[in-house]
Amino acid sequence: MSLRAFFHAVVLGASLFSSLAMANELKGIRVWPAPDETRVVLDLSEDAVFSYFTLTKPDRLVVDLKQTTLKTKLPVVVKDSAILTKIRNSGAPEKGTYRLVLEMKSGMTPNLFKLAPTPDGTYSHRLVMDLPHGKATAVKKPEPASKPSVTNQQAILPYGTDDIIVAIDPGHGGEDPGSIGPSRLYEKKVTLDIAKKVAARINATPGMKAVMTRQGDYFVNLNRRTEIARQKRAHLLVSIHADGFHKPQPRGASVWVLNTRRANSEIGRWIEQHEKQSELLGGGDVLSGGNDDQYLSMAVLDLQFSHSQKEGYDVASRVLKEMSKVTTLHKSKPEHASLAVLKSPDIPSLLVETGFITNPTEERLLNSKSHQNKLAEAVYRGVLSYFNEKPPEGTLFASRNQGIKHKVTSGQSLSVIANRYGTSVAAIKQANNLKSNTLKVGQVLVIPGQAPFTAPAAAAVATTTKTVTHTVKRGDFLGKIANQYGVTVASIRRDNNLRSDELAIGQKLKVSVAAPVTRPAPAVASTTAATTTKTVTHTVKRGEFLGKIAGQYGVTVASIRSANKLRSDELAVGQKLKITVKAPASVIHTVQRGEFLGKIAARYGVTVSRLREANQLRTDKLAVGQKLTIPSS
């Protein structure tokens, strides 16, 4: 071999060796900002060999990729992250190494790890960098539930105005796309769109509040999803997904609840495998039975866990029933699978598969805003049906169904209490089985729902009863109907011989209501009054319903419905209502034998001090026939 040939062979061999040594390629950089951390993913052609270190003043993370060449664009400017501003390259410390510099807004401790290629070929080798926002903090314990505010006139009892909290979990996200449809529609997009619509319906319902496990396109660890629900003291966790399968034929929606052993169908086993792969896409594996599965391992034999499973199945059945009205069902009953997001022992949980994104027809539907609205409405109505029947104690829903409880204080009479809550004396007596109008200080009364407003003090009021027929409409339940007519649920059950509380749309119910009969005042009138009316505008706040608003202004529910042309009793937070109220021009009371300031004040629902001030009284002594001006309450 000539010297020239030998030299050529050496150069060729060195070039081949160099090309083999530099086989890895940096093919892409993806950034996923989330509320708690920012994730950076490097897509590589081969397994990464790397080292890293941090710098300060300014804060930076430097990553050296060994034997790697660049096949993507730099720099990458990051706008939505709380910690990261820019990714750029820098001078390599040695030949064959590619150096990346991540410019930070503040110091932090990064977490770097590698992920293997996914079995379906969606992703190749990856190097993941999780950049926490700020210093790591200990997990906060759930804050104790705030007690409903009470006055000295109301007992602290099991009924309050707390919201029912529903955690809405949009499946997948960020690095994890979920199932992918024939036209490349990602499950993570569909789940977020539908979840936001469900949350909006819940938040527009007085007495309910939604919390989201993720608000955007980023990955949330499956255990973290249940932790978010627990920290927010959620009463229910609903995880929204779109089904996928290795064949395009399966179609239809389904709802899944936890089975601690194994799935009971081929589709269920596929979902379990797919959800496990999804967790691997984001890093970590909560389905392996390791320490991260602590909630299940700690409570699998606990009665609380059994209760959560039972209630989860109840909600799932109701959601399926509503979904059957708007889409095809894959199965008519809830199915079972071992899924990490369902494993919280203290929160009833269900996973809603809104349809098969791998079916071409259903993929088009799932990408349709109108179909998403229908699915969201169905999920919302199923959840609402459950909480209407089984409201948690201390919530506004429980108060609406079971009434408000009031503790009698000194100077209060039935008429004063009825006026305060916008109900009638007869309705309070009926709800509490009272045979007389005599009350004791400290006595606890159940205040029923809204009833016709009591007549003005200028007239003596007697009551009788009349029977009306109510036709059950969509969304009606016994508590709501009882509230509407100012009667008890027990009286409706009794009048109609009901053996259960389930009602059918169009069903006729007999309701016995108190009908006030106004008689002329006696010849010696104790009071004279002139009244006028004025219209005020009320903005609906969270926790309010028609009965509560009517009681606040001393009017009837029917008058609010009429003034605002309401077709149902459902209100939205922020909704404006016109309220026509009575504005007394003047009320004059003529003192009768045996009367004293305390008695007169209690009768009109005002304080003794206000009576003294309005009449410039220097003493509490009164004369029979003396005229007193009654101030507005």
Side-chain angles (χ1 to χ4, degrees):
M1 179 184 293
S2 69
L3 184 61
R4 180 184 295 275
F6 176 76
F7 180 75
H8 181 72
V10 170
V11 171
L12 183 63
S15 174
L16 179 61
F17 176 79
S18 175
S19 117
L20 290 173
M22 299 282 287
N24 209 351
E25 294 179 345
L26 176 55
K27 300 188 296 183
I29 300 175
R30 291 173 289 127
V31 180
W32 305 100
D36 300 323
E37 66 181 15
T38 294
R39 171 167 288 190
V40 179
V41 182
L42 307 183
D43 290 308
L44 300 156
S45 59
E46 301 294 336
D47 187 29
V49 178
F50 70 98
S51 62
Y52 71 94
F53 57 92
T54 58
L55 296 172
T56 58
K57 297 180 181 180
D59 293 296
R60 288 153 290 164
L61 169 64
V62 180
V63 180
D64 288 334
L65 301 170
K66 310 297 183 182
Q67 306 304 327
T68 302
T69 57
L70 181 69
K71 294 293 182 180
T72 187
K73 293 182 179 180
L74 283 176
V76 175
V77 178
V78 183
K79 296 181 179 179
D80 300 328
S81 172
I83 189 76
L84 179 63
T85 61
K86 188 178 183 180
I87 303 173
R88 58 177 173 82
N89 65 347
S90 183
E94 58 188 11
K95 188 175 181 181
T97 296
Y98 194 84
R99 172 165 285 184
L100 286 178
V101 178
L102 287 74
E103 297 182 358
M104 303 291 175
K105 295 179 181 178
S106 61
M108 50 82 229
T109 303
N111 177 30
L112 281 73
F113 57 92
K114 296 186 289 186
L115 291 176
T118 57
D120 61 1
T122 302
Y123 293 118
S124 182
H125 292 272
R126 288 155 293 156
L127 176 61
V128 178
M129 294 172 273
D130 283 338
L131 314 174
H133 299 167
K135 296 180 180 178
T137 55
V139 177
K140 292 182 179 180
K141 295 181 179 179
E143 296 179 2
S146 57
K147 295 181 179 180
S149 59
V150 295
T151 66
N152 61 348
Q153 299 164 326
Q154 186 171 340
I156 301 175
L157 293 160
Y159 310 118
T161 57
D162 288 351
D163 286 334
I164 291 173
I165 309 297
V166 182
I168 307 297
D169 171 47
H172 309 283
E175 180 71 1
D176 172 17
S179 296
I180 302 174
S183 67
R184 307 300 294 174
L185 177 65
Y186 286 177
E187 179 184 358
K188 66 177 183 178
K189 178 184 182 301
V190 171
T191 60
L192 185 60
D193 288 345
I194 296 175
K196 285 181 176 179
K197 296 178 191 300
V198 176
R201 289 293 286 118
I202 289 173
N203 285 330
T205 304
M208 296 184 78
K209 179 182 178 182
V211 296
M212 300 272 286
T213 60
R214 70 175 176 98
Q215 299 277 0
D217 187 13
Y218 51 85
F219 181 79
V220 179
N221 181 280
L222 299 188
N223 274 340
R224 175 63 183 150
R225 296 171 191 248
T226 55
E227 287 174 8
I228 292 170
R230 185 172 292 105
Q231 288 169 359
K232 299 295 185 179
R233 307 188 67 84
H235 298 90
L236 177 70
L237 171 63
V238 181
S239 190
I240 307 294
H241 287 249
D243 233 329
F245 202 54
H246 56 81
K247 298 178 181 178
Q249 288 80 13
R251 63 175 301 175
S254 56
V255 181
W256 296 79
V257 292
L258 181 65
N259 184 332
T260 56
R261 292 180 293 277
R262 58 176 296 182
N264 58 357
S265 70
E266 182 186 1
I267 297 289
R269 289 188 290 276
W270 173 269
I271 290 175
E272 286 182 2
Q273 180 183 0
H274 187 67
E275 290 301 306
K276 183 172 181 177
Q277 177 180 310
S278 292
E279 183 65 13
L280 289 171
L281 285 172
D285 182 5
V286 298
L287 298 182
S288 62
N291 292 333
D292 284 341
D293 207 6
Q294 57 179 316
Y295 297 128
L296 181 60
S297 61
M298 287 166 49
V300 71
L301 299 179
D302 196 280
L303 289 176
Q304 186 182 35
F305 189 73
S306 298
H307 173 76
S308 293
Q309 284 184 297
K310 173 175 167 289
E311 296 307 308
Y313 190 91
D314 187 356
V315 185
S317 300
R318 295 169 190 264
V319 170
L320 263 180
K321 181 180 178 181
E322 293 296 329
M323 292 185 75
S324 69
K325 301 173 185 177
V326 301
T327 191
T328 303
L329 294 186
H330 183 68
K331 289 289 179 67
S332 59
K333 292 184 178 179
E335 298 189 81
H336 297 81
S338 181
L339 303 173
V341 79
L342 301 177
K343 289 184 178 180
S344 179
D346 51 338
I347 305 173
S349 306
L350 59 146
L351 185 147
V352 179
E353 296 281 6
T354 52
F356 278 83
I357 200 170
T358 48
N359 179 291
T361 302
E362 291 205 331
E363 182 193 28
R364 287 193 296 271
L365 283 173
L366 290 172
N367 202 28
S368 159
K369 298 299 181 186
S370 61
H371 189 67
Q372 289 178 2
N373 286 330
K374 291 177 183 178
L375 292 171
E377 183 70 15
V379 174
Y380 161 73
R381 288 195 172 277
V383 171
L384 183 65
S385 168
Y386 171 80
F387 284 119
N388 271 334
E389 187 169 313
K390 299 180 178 181
E393 285 189 0
T395 63
L396 178 66
F397 271 52
S399 297
R400 285 199 303 230
N401 284 7
Q402 302 168 14
I404 301 169
K405 291 198 175 183
H406 176 90
K407 183 181 287 185
V408 179
T409 59
S410 177
Q412 289 188 330
S413 64
L414 278 178
S415 60
V416 169
I417 297 170
N419 181 69
R420 174 181 174 183
Y421 290 101
T423 185
S424 68
V425 171
I428 295 178
K429 291 178 71 175
Q430 182 181 10
N432 295 274
N433 296 318
L434 299 179
K435 296 182 179 179
S436 72
N437 291 353
T438 303
L439 298 177
K440 296 179 181 179
V441 174
Q443 183 176 352
V444 175
L445 299 175
V446 174
I447 308 300
Q450 187 66 25
F453 187 62
T454 51
V461 177
T463 60
T464 183
T465 58
K466 66 176 181 179
T467 301
V468 298
T469 301
H470 177 88
T471 303
V472 177
K473 300 183 290 296
R474 185 178 304 280
D476 276 353
F477 53 93
L478 282 183
K480 181 178 179 180
I481 298 168
N483 185 73
Q484 178 179 338
Y485 291 97
V487 299
T488 62
V489 170
S491 68
I492 298 179
R493 289 198 197 102
R494 182 181 62 249
D495 290 346
N496 295 275
N497 297 319
L498 299 179
R499 296 183 180 180
S500 76
D501 289 356
E502 292 185 4
L503 302 177
I505 295 175
Q507 182 176 350
K508 306 290 186 182
L509 294 177
K510 296 178 181 177
V511 184
S512 298
V513 298
V517 178
T518 303
R519 297 193 181 103
V524 181
S526 62
T527 65
T528 59
T531 61
T532 183
T533 60
K534 65 177 181 179
T535 301
V536 298
T537 301
H538 178 87
T539 302
V540 177
K541 298 182 287 294
R542 185 176 300 282
E544 291 187 328
F545 54 94
L546 280 183
K548 182 177 181 180
I549 296 170
Q552 177 180 337
Y553 290 96
V555 299
T556 64
V557 170
S559 69
I560 299 179
R561 287 199 201 101
S562 175
N564 296 275
K565 299 180 180 179
L566 301 178
R567 295 184 179 180
S568 75
D569 289 357
E570 291 185 7
L571 301 177
V573 175
Q575 183 176 349
K576 304 290 186 181
L577 296 176
K578 295 179 180 178
I579 314 287
T580 302
V581 297
K582 292 181 179 178
S586 62
V587 177
I588 304 299
H589 177 85
T590 303
V591 177
Q592 305 294 309
R593 187 176 303 279
E595 288 186 329
F596 52 92
L597 279 182
K599 184 175 181 180
I600 297 170
R603 175 175 181 179
Y604 291 99
V606 298
T607 63
V608 171
S609 61
R610 292 200 63 194
L611 271 180
R612 290 196 197 100
E613 182 182 354
N615 294 275
Q616 298 181 348
L617 298 177
R618 296 182 180 179
T619 175
D620 288 357
K621 291 183 179 180
L622 300 176
V624 174
Q626 183 178 349
K627 305 291 185 180
L628 295 177
T629 299
I630 308 299
S632 173
S633 59

